Amino acid sequence: MPFVTTKDGVEIFYKDWGPKDAQPVFFHHGWPLSSDDWDAQILFFVSKGFRVVAHDRRGHGRSTQVSDGHDMDHYAADAAAVTEHLDLRNAVHIGHSTGGGEALHYTVKHGKGRVAKLVLIGAVPPLMLKTAANPGGLPMEVFDGFRSALAANRAQFFLDVPAGPFYGFNRPGAQVSQGAIQNWWRQGMAGGAKAHYDGIKAFSETDFTEDLKACEVPTLVMHGDDDQIVPIADSALLSAKLLKHGTLKVYPGYPHGMCTTHPEVINADLLAFIKG
């Protein structure tokens, strides 16, 4: 299997599918999943002739289950290790949820001359945590609850999240996919508990405000207005205002995991943005 070894010795698993001379589309997955969460997008973009790359974040999926480095600086550096190893240029980086923060941080810190466009889907920037400067954020108790649930029974927690708020399956009349729930659980349990525990701090407490202001590439911000994991009012609506070249697209009624629940809509909009 293809791996790249980072400067601090972590083996990062990646997929590199499609023609090597085609424009690259690089996918950054959410917490606590893996590159497999992008199956519906990867297959679509390969079929359209793109080179598609997706990696498993450190401690997630098939990458090394290390004890340390579960923060945005390391996440971005690990993504850079993959892009540099494959020498990806003119790439479109697409990040979902935690992966949106990672994709943004990578673009600003490491992507100069390599990134053509950026897409943030249900993404955590600018800042999830409620603070004096971010009164609309979620209180620390929410994230402490995540940590407690994970430490007490990670396997059950990783069933409850996709069966409930992640895909909006807790909404009246929702079409529940047992396969999607089980696939979420499978991806989560493949990763390391330490990485997932520490990752909660990374996605909830990292302030991406300066990254958003510094981002120079055209950026599409996509968010469902019924996102129960990353509420839209304190994420996408603020991010779009901070970006120099940002475009906001809101999806009425769509959940956090809309790439899985509505791939035909999301894929078409991604393709239009990339080709636009």
Side-chain angles (χ1 to χ4, degrees), residues 101-120:
E102 175 186 283
L104 171 65
H105 200 52
Y106 161 78
T107 296
V108 172
K109 299 296 182 184
H110 305 278
K112 190 171 179 61
R114 292 187 180 275
V115 179
K117 293 181 179 180
L118 175 66
V119 183
L120 307 178

Side-chain angles (χ1 to χ4, degrees), residues 22 76 82-83 105 114 122 127 130 152 166 222 225 228 237 246 274:
V82 177
T83 62
H105 200 52
R114 292 187 180 275
L127 172 63
K130 180 178 182 178
F166 196 91
M222 306 167 74
D225 73 359
Q228 301 171 67
L237 301 188
I274 290 170

Side-chain angles (χ1 to χ4, degrees), residues 122-173:
V124 297
L127 172 63
M128 285 197 74
L129 183 68
K130 180 178 182 178
T131 64
N134 186 45
L138 297 171
M140 181 63 81
E141 293 77 37
V142 171
F143 305 110
D144 285 342
F146 289 177
R147 280 181 276 263
S148 296
L150 189 151
N153 189 339
R154 184 168 67 124
Q156 186 60 50
F157 183 45
F158 283 4
L159 280 176
D160 295 342
V161 173
F166 196 91
Y167 295 118
F169 292 160
N170 56 346
R171 295 306 198 204

